[in-house]
Every structure is written in structure tokens, then in C-alpha cells.
Amino acid sequence: MNRRSFLQGSGALAGVSALGLSGCEKQVRTPQYYAPNLPLYDQYQPLVPIRAHADRIFRITVCLRPFRAAGPRMDIEKVGDKSVVHNYGHGGSGWSLSWGAAAIATKSAMVAADGSQDIAVLGAGALGLTAATMLQRAGAKVTIYAKERAPYTRSSRATGSWTPDSRIALASAVPSSFGADWEAMARASFFYYQSYLGTPGSPVEWTDRWQLSDEEPRNRAGAPDPNVRDDRPAPVHDFIHLNSRIADLTPRPIMMPAGSTPFPTKYVARSSSMTFNVADYSRQLMNDFLINGGKIETREFHSPQELTTLPQKVIVNCPGYGGRSLWSDESIVPVRGQIAWLIPQEGAEYGIGYKGLNMLARRDGIVMQYSKGGEDEGWNDTNETPDRAFAEEGIGVMAELYDRMAAMQKKKPA
């Protein structure tokens, strides 16, 4: 059975259903795979298969993550008579840490304002919108100055996963206090995100993730660890990993027993994580900001000196990767990430990690992020031009997974 015949036509849906995946029908199906040593509520349930066709791509986006070896920049700088509160350089954790970072920036800004309620925010991405909202909650009158708004911001091109320590810093470059500071930001963000659960449009929701690997996942100490993705090259850079500090916030991954799922890999780990449906979430943030009296002006700044023309004496600076040029901040290293967006599918609400492909089925699209180079993929790459061939290669990885599942099913005794 070749890939094309498996994926196309009505026979494809029948074949996929035979693999323990659900088709388009809405009725509940009895799962065909059981794990005898797992309780009923942990047993595999059929999933809607992703239609892994290149012609289902409706856009390809590229985002440059603003990585700083020492972690985010959150100090205060004087520019003329202005106090600038920096809030940028969060690497691949911008959305995840945005509320915690906003809380820190807001506290600094309100102290610097010394009684003034008029505060400016630079940028309308993840960090800018949450900072503006948090400032409003503290009683400030906020104006956002931004060159772009969603869906044109780099934040709008994010994967949309809760990844608070994704390329956040290098272990060799952070101070001893970094872990505690990061934990405070992560916990604060997690708390605020819970307030969006169940709201109209489902801007934030919990979904299952499946991590598939032919090799046993092991951590850096060499111990088996289902949290580790073991299907990609080891990183060259010593990215710091801190999720163990907040392990109490999210469910632990479960290693599924052999034969309990239709997946063909030797190791299958299932977990649950928060998903950000960025299109709706960013729109809701902007609407809330405007409803609460916020103002936004389209404006681009080319040097810090131009900030002295603003009427506000305190400015919260959230430029994302744009901070590299605006502040001549060479500590920012771009980390390129590309996403192929496939048409959303009803009932597909889960994620799969397999051979460097991170697939996340969101309500606003099926995210296909291919990072076969591991965490170092895209390091110091400033190219923001979409690569169609690379996108299709990533979709081919998903199709290859289905080929393996079909082959495994054929070998099962009748």
C-alpha cells in the first residue's frame, strides 16, 4: 500500500478507521485497542486522522523567535526624560510567559510613573497586549504604539502551545536567581490563562498530545523520561530546561503499553497541555483592551530617541524580535521557525510529535512545524521567506506515520 492510495479517496477513511482513528462520523465508536494494565479512563480512544495533503496548506508562516542567552530583558532604562521598562527577548516562550512578564513590567511601570496614570506600550504582539491589559487592571490609561497588529505580528505565527521554557535562555549564561524568577513568571501566567478556559471562542483549552519515538526517551542524565523528545538530534546549545520546577501544574505523561494504541513506534507517551487558539485569543485580547478604554496608534520607531516625542513619561517596551534593531541589541539571536497551516478539521483537537514534526490541531488551523534539526533548528537565521519544499517535507513525515500504521495493521492477526 503506497502513501497516495492510503491517504486519498473513500478507502483512505475506511483504512484510517481500521487503525483505531475516527473518521468524519460524529457517533461514538468503541476503541479497538485496549491496555490491560491501564484503567478504563486512560485507554486509547480513536482520533480524527489529519489529512496530510500538501494541497490543504492555506498559508506558510515564518517567525523569528527573539532569543537572549541571559533570558528576557526586563530592566528599566532612561531615554531623555522617559522611563523605558523593557519586556522582550522571551525566545520561544512569549505567549506562555506573557502574563507573568506583564505582571513584572506593570509593577515596574507603575512605580516609575510615580502617580501618573498615562502609560505607553510599544508593540501589539503577545507581550504588548498582555502588558497593556495588566496595566489597565492596575488603573493605568494605556496607549499602544505598534507598527503591526494581528494577524501580521510575529506572535500571530506561533505554534500555540504552553511551552514556558522553550529556548528561554542558556544554562551557562543565566544568573543563579533565574530559575526562581522564571518559575514566578510561569506560575503567574498559568494562573491567568485558567481564566480564559470555557470562554466563547475557546481561546485557551487543554488538549492531548502524543509523543512518538522509536528510541526510548531519556533525559540528559541518561534516565528514561517520557517528557523528552528523543527523535531529534541533541542540541548544540545548552538551552536551560526548567519545567521540573512547575511539574505540579500539568499532568504527567503516561507511557502507553505496547499494542494499546495504533501508533507504530516502540514508545508512545500521552500527555495533556494548554493550546492557544491564537487567532481568537489575540482578537479577544485586543477587543478587551479597546473596550476598557485603551487606544492604539499605528506608528513605527527607528531609534530610542524617537520615543522622547511621546506624551507619556513611562513606556513599556514590548517589540519582540524588533528590539534587536530598535535598541541595537546584539544579544538577541533570531531562531527561525516555520509553520505550514492546514485547513482545520472538525473533531481534531490533539497534537503529535514524531521525527521532528510537531503537529497541533487547533480550531484556527492544523499547525505543522517541522524541526528536524532539533532545538537548534533555525539558529541565527534571519530569513523570513517561507520554504514550501520544507513545509511539504514536514507533511510527508505525517503521511509516513500513517503508512507505518497501515503496515502495522496489515500484520495483525485477523
Side-chain angles (χ1 to χ4, degrees):
M1 179 182 294
N2 61 39
R3 186 177 76 194
R4 180 172 296 277
S5 63
F6 176 67
L7 293 173
Q8 292 183 339
S10 59
L13 288 178
V16 170
S17 294
L19 295 173
L21 298 169
S22 68
C24 296
E25 298 88 345
K26 294 184 179 180
Q27 67 266 28
V28 177
R29 296 191 174 192
T30 302
Q32 299 181 29
Y33 297 87
Y34 296 91
N37 56 343
L38 285 179
L40 178 65
Y41 46 78
D42 275 334
Q43 291 171 10
Y44 175 84
Q45 299 294 320
L47 302 172
V48 172
I50 302 304
R51 300 174 191 168
H53 300 286
D55 60 4
R56 292 182 66 83
I57 297 175
F58 66 88
R59 64 173 173 163
I60 300 174
T61 58
V62 176
C63 178
L64 300 184
R65 308 175 187 93
F67 175 82
R68 298 180 77 244
R73 184 180 182 187
M74 305 198 70
D75 60 305
I76 301 177
E77 178 179 356
K78 293 293 289 187
V79 178
D81 63 345
K82 310 296 182 182
S83 294
V84 178
V85 179
H86 293 298
N87 185 22
Y88 68 87
H90 295 73
S93 303
W95 280 113
S96 298
L97 293 178
S98 58
W99 287 110
I104 295 173
T106 294
K107 183 177 180 179
S108 298
M110 297 304 286
V111 171
D114 192 25
S116 172
Q117 301 298 307
D118 198 9
I119 295 178
V121 170
L122 262 60
L127 277 300
L129 288 175
T130 50
T133 301
M134 192 70 79
L135 284 163
Q136 285 181 324
R137 293 178 180 179
K141 177 183 177 183
V142 184
T143 301
I144 293 177
Y145 298 93
K147 174 186 176 183
E148 296 172 322
R149 312 175 195 184
Y152 300 105
T153 61
R154 289 188 174 97
S155 293
S156 298
R157 311 167 201 166
T159 305
S161 292
W162 166 253
T163 55
D165 72 345
S166 174
R167 300 178 184 85
I168 189 63
L170 297 183
S172 58
V174 298
S176 58
S177 61
F178 184 79
D181 294 339
W182 172 89
E183 181 179 348
M185 276 197 295
R187 289 185 179 276
S189 288
F190 187 86
F191 171 80
Y192 276 99
Y193 274 123
Q194 304 318 296
S195 67
Y196 285 89
L197 294 174
T199 59
S202 299
V204 178
E205 57 189 331
W206 285 84
T207 57
D208 280 349
R209 310 297 169 85
W210 297 87
Q211 184 57 48
L212 316 179
S213 178
D214 291 308
E215 300 178 10
E216 185 175 23
R218 293 180 176 272
N219 59 29
R220 293 185 178 184
D225 186 346
N227 290 290
V228 176
R229 295 184 63 172
D230 210 41
D231 57 355
R232 298 184 297 176
V236 173
H237 300 89
D238 63 326
F239 296 108
I240 194 167
H241 294 282
L242 298 165
N243 270 344
S244 60
R245 299 183 68 111
I246 55 171
D248 58 300
L249 296 182
T250 55
R252 296 181 179 88
I254 296 174
M255 292 301 296
M256 303 295 288
S260 64
T261 76
F263 297 118
T265 54
K266 185 175 181 180
Y267 300 97
V268 178
R270 183 182 62 198
S271 60
S272 297
S273 183
M274 277 195 297
T275 296
F276 310 135
N277 295 304
V278 176
D280 185 82
Y281 179 46
S282 58
R283 185 180 298 109
Q284 184 167 329
L285 286 174
M286 179 62 78
N287 288 342
D288 290 348
F289 169 73
L290 295 174
I291 289 172
N292 289 319
K295 297 180 180 179
I296 183 166
E297 293 187 19
T298 301
R299 186 165 175 181
E300 182 177 5
F301 299 93
H302 301 91
S303 70
Q305 288 67 38
E306 293 180 27
L307 301 180
T308 60
T309 64
L310 295 179
Q312 296 84 2
K313 61 178 283 189
V314 177
I315 303 161
V316 179
N317 180 45
C318 309
Y321 179 69
R324 179 182 170 94
S325 59
L326 177 59
W327 296 92
S328 300
D329 188 349
E330 296 300 317
S331 70
I332 294 181
V333 177
V335 182
R336 185 184 193 273
Q338 175 174 287
I339 291 176
W341 299 79
L342 273 61
I343 300 170
Q345 292 181 224
E346 183 180 1
E349 300 168 7
Y350 63 95
I352 287 179
Y354 173 70
K355 290 189 175 180
L357 177 68
N358 179 25
M359 184 285 294
L360 180 58
R362 289 173 14 190
R363 295 175 187 268
D364 52 353
I366 308 294
V367 171
M368 293 280 192
Q369 185 171 44
Y370 190 34
S371 302
K372 62 181 178 180
E375 284 188 287
D376 298 296
E377 181 83 37
W379 177 264
N380 203 23
D381 186 348
T382 60
N383 181 14
E384 294 188 83
T385 303
D387 184 338
R388 176 81 187 197
F390 191 71
E392 294 188 7
E393 183 180 347
I395 294 173
V397 172
M398 179 62 66
E400 184 263 341
L401 171 63
Y402 288 141
D403 280 349
R404 290 184 62 183
M405 293 168 72
M408 184 181 75
Q409 179 68 16
K410 288 179 66 175
K411 291 181 181 179
K412 284 184 175 291

